[in-house]
């Protein structure tokens, strides 16, 4: 579904998504890395626990929140991927027990 | 060429839209004139509480009116849902005012006791809760919390869905909402009101002035007096988190979507709607002292909006003596009072008279010594 444009063959960086290295073009966002890695859904909605993934790619929808280098709930689409960055997703798709 | 309607409502915010919708429910065909995106739009920046417990000390009719609205809110929400398909996120689980010091708790206790005394036979249902009792209602409270006051009357709703649903309900019942129609002049002749707007002229035998801060300048043209001025409030909204708040507090509420809203600031003498670090810092500090878990939650946005305030803080409702058929409606609680405006006040306007109890809301209470909105 996602493929690099033929003229996008620039330098690449390697990002660790859920323990798996993913090569992405330097300057691409972490959200792009998630999509390239097929790491979707990348989180669960905190109220309904419905699956979520990067959506708007421009910092508005807050659906692409993931843990980056140990800091939780960061906006993956607003952060450039960097060599060796560790990204952790927290997808959940089963509804919670409603108390 | 004037466009005719059964009633002109000046102002398409929560007050005007609720009254416009209510008039349409009464079988009238109202037109609601909205200023446009340059308007200050208190209705699009507010907090969303349907709040009763601290309203109207020294003014029992205001407490009664707020409570009436709280009791009518489920009916309004259900009507809007069936007529427009829009759920407005209204809940009435009761509400709490949280106290962080013994002084705050003492003052609150006195205030609530005084309210019960003044309400007499109407009663006033509340309880002062100590720390342990409050923790049962709100398990996340921090060590700084000493207790609070609880009342069953309080709740909250999504103000933006409410506004949208009122607009949709108005249209579904044959009323009209006209945007970009700032009223330039109002006039009355032979029982017919004319509103000259950027969008043409509108005529109707009834007029409701519900233009928020814009009402002050228009009122005199139809024999009304609405000396309102802005009081700025600032709000923080957080990322969505798992359910933390079973009920709203005076400064915190959690939306259906999981966001936590933090509010309750008052700045007079400000005509701009800019938020600033000083107030936001104070709001955040109090929120974290109340619920320590919030310290690790991200703020998504802050904003400010201008409340529509009268000199004594109570609503202004009156019918013009020189131009009968012209009514004023202004308050700083457009969400709380939306149900009363839609299901009661609109009836009064349709019938052409306000109940005797509404005398206390007439602007004559201010005498001539009032601060005017700048």
């Amino acid at each position: 579904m996602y493929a690099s444009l033929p003229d996008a063959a620039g330098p690449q960086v390697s990002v660790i998504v859920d323990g798996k290295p993913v090569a992405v073009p330097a300057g691409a966002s972490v959200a792009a890395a998630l999509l390239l890695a097929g790491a979707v859904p990348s989180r669960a909605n905190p109220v309904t626990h419905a699956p979520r993934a990067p959506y708007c790619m421009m910092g508005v929808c807050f659906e692409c929140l993931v843990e980056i280098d140990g800091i939780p709930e960061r906006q993956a689409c607003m952060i450039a991927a960097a060599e060796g960055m560790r990204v952790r997703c927290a997808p959940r798709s089963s509804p919670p027990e409603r108390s | 060429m004037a466009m005719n309607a059964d009633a002109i409502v000046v102002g398409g915010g929560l007050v005007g839209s609720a009254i416009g919708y209510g008039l349409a429910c009464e079988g009238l065909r109202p037109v609601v004139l909205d200023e446009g995106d340059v308007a200050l739009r208190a209705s699009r920046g507010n907090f969303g509480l349907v709040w009763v417990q601290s309203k109207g000390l020294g003014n029992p009719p205001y407490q009664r009116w707020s409570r009436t609205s709280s009791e009518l809110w489920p009916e309004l929400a259900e009507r809007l849902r069936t007529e427009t398909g829009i759920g407005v996120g209204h809940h009435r689980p009761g509400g709490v005012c949280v106290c962080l010091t013994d002084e705050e708790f003492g003052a609150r206790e006195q205030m609530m006791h005084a309210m019960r005394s003044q309400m007499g036979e109407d009663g006033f249902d509340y309880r002062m809760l100590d720390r342990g009792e409050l923790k049962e209602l709100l398990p996340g409270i921090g060590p700084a919390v000493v207790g609070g006051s609880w009342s069953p009357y309080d709740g909250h709703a999504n103000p933006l869905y409410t506004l949208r649903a009122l607009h949709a309900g108005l249209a579904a019942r044959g009323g009209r909402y006209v945007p970009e129609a700032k009223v330039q002049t109002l006039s009355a002749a032979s029982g017919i009101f004319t509103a000259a707007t950027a969008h043409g002229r509108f005529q109707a035998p009834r007029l409701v002035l519900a233009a928020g801060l814009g009402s002050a300048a228009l009122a005199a043209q139809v024999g009304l007096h609405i000396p309102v001025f802005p009081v700025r409030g600032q709000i923080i909204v957080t990322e969505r988190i798992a359910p933390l708040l079973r009920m709203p507090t005076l400064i915190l509420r959690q939306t259906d979507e999981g966001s936590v809203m933090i509010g309750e600031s008052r700045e007079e003498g400000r005509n701009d709607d800019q938020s600033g670090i000083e107030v936001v810092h104070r709001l955040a500090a109090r929120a974290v002292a109340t619920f320590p878990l919030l310290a690790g939650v991200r703020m998504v946005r802050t904003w400010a909006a201008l409340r529509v305030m009268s000199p004594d803080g109570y609503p202004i409702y009156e019918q013009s003596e020189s131009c009968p058929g012209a009514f004023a409606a202004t308050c700083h609680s457009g969400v709380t009072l939306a149900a009363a405006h839609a299901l009661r006040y609109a009836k009064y306007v349709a019938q052409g008279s306000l109940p005797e109890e509404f005398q206390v809301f007439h602007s004559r209470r201010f005498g001539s010594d009032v601060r005017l909105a700048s």
Side-chain angles (χ1 to χ4, degrees):
Chain A
M1 180 174 176
Y2 294 98
S4 299
L5 294 169
D7 59 355
Q12 301 227 310
V13 294
S14 177
V15 179
I16 318 295
V17 178
D18 287 334
K20 190 176 90 179
V22 184
V24 297
S29 68
V30 175
L34 293 173
L35 297 171
L36 281 166
V40 291
S42 51
R43 81 188 265 267
N45 176 285
V47 176
T48 63
H49 292 261
R52 290 288 183 263
Y55 176 64
C56 75
M57 303 300 279
M58 61 184 200
V60 174
C61 75
F62 290 83
E63 298 291 18
C64 67
L65 304 178
V66 289
E67 182 185 296
I68 300 175
D69 289 338
I71 302 171
E73 309 293 328
R74 299 193 72 192
Q75 280 180 279
C77 72
M78 300 305 286
I79 295 165
E83 183 64 34
M85 200 174 242
R86 291 184 171 275
V87 181
R88 247 168 40 106
C89 305
R92 278 264 305 275
S93 52
S94 57
E97 298 287 321
R98 294 313 291 246
S99 54
Chain B
M1 170 74 199
M3 291 158 274
N4 295 321
D6 294 326
I8 294 166
V9 180
V10 184
L14 277 167
V15 177
S17 301
I19 295 168
Y21 170 73
L23 289 169
C25 292
E26 292 297 300
L28 302 180
R29 295 178 74 84
V31 60
V32 175
L33 305 178
D34 206 5
E35 180 177 0
D37 288 340
V38 297
L40 290 163
R41 296 209 185 286
S43 294
R44 299 181 193 220
N46 58 24
F47 195 62
L49 288 176
V50 177
W51 201 254
V52 175
Q53 69 165 271
S54 30
K55 298 272 178 67
L57 186 64
N59 188 333
Y62 182 39
Q63 164 66 209
R64 267 193 290 275
W65 183 236
S66 300
R67 204 186 305 175
T68 295
S69 196
S70 163
E71 283 156 7
L72 289 169
W73 245 104
E75 182 186 336
L76 176 67
E78 183 53 28
R79 271 202 206 194
L80 291 173
R81 198 188 57 75
T82 52
E83 292 175 22
T84 71
I86 299 167
V88 298
H90 173 252
H91 305 281
R92 196 175 183 247
V96 172
C97 173
V98 176
C99 303
L100 298 183
T101 65
D102 291 338
E103 290 71 30
E104 277 180 22
F105 188 89
R108 191 73 190 175
E109 192 165 33
Q110 267 189 326
M111 195 278 267
M112 297 296 274
H113 181 77
M115 186 81 85
R116 178 177 281 170
S117 308
Q118 81 174 25
M119 293 315 292
E121 285 181 8
D122 287 318
F124 179 66
D125 193 1
Y126 80 95
R127 280 190 56 206
M128 294 305 296
L129 304 175
D130 65 23
R131 185 184 158 69
E133 293 166 316
L134 188 53
K135 212 169 167 63
E136 282 172 36
L137 284 187
L138 297 170
I141 56 171
V145 174
V146 302
S149 60
W150 167 89
S151 114
Y153 308 125
D154 306 310
H156 55 142
N158 181 314
L160 296 176
Y161 279 133
T162 302
L163 186 60
R164 196 175 127 214
L166 289 168
H167 286 177
L170 171 76
R173 288 177 166 271
R176 286 181 60 204
Y177 166 82
V178 185
E180 305 296 333
K182 179 182 169 67
V183 173
Q184 290 137 347
T185 59
L186 292 172
S187 56
S190 325
I192 297 292
F193 295 97
T194 302
T197 79
H199 223 86
R201 285 170 55 222
F202 296 83
Q203 293 194 312
R206 294 175 196 80
L207 175 82
V208 179
L209 194 42
L213 291 166
S215 295
L218 292 168
Q221 299 178 14
V222 286
L224 297 167
H225 182 46
I226 309 179
V228 286
F229 57 93
V231 174
R232 191 168 69 178
Q234 300 192 32
I235 288 172
I236 299 169
V237 62
T238 73
E239 61 179 305
R240 295 167 182 190
I241 60 170
L244 167 73
L245 284 153
R246 285 218 320 254
M247 60 178 58
T249 80
L250 189 57
I251 68 157
L252 290 154
R253 76 180 193 95
Q254 189 168 19
T255 68
D256 284 348
E257 296 79 17
S259 306
V260 176
M261 294 177 68
I262 305 165
E264 189 51 34
S265 66
R266 288 167 174 273
E267 301 164 276
E268 291 194 18
R270 301 300 304 250
N271 287 323
D272 63 280
D273 58 359
Q274 299 300 300
S275 62
I277 197 73
E278 230 172 284
V279 170
V280 167
H281 173 261
R282 187 170 55 73
L283 292 175
R286 187 162 181 113
V288 169
T290 308
F291 290 96
L293 180 140
L294 291 173
V297 172
R298 279 184 171 62
M299 290 187 347
V300 171
R301 217 170 27 251
T302 66
W303 71 79
L306 299 175
R307 288 186 190 84
V308 182
M309 197 57 69
S310 69
D312 59 7
Y314 302 130
I316 301 171
Y317 302 115
E318 62 185 36
Q319 179 167 198
S320 170
E321 280 165 28
S322 59
C323 310
F327 291 83
T330 186
C331 68
H332 70 263
S333 303
V335 179
T336 298
L337 295 175
H341 287 153
L343 305 178
R344 291 288 184 275
Y345 196 75
K347 276 193 169 68
Y348 306 148
V349 171
Q351 292 160 0
S353 72
L354 298 178
E356 191 56 34
E357 182 164 69
F358 272 51
Q359 288 298 322
V360 305
F361 299 126
H362 197 289
S363 68
R364 73 169 66 90
R365 69 187 188 265
F366 303 126
S368 55
D369 177 32
V370 293
R371 287 179 293 172
L372 277 170
S374 47

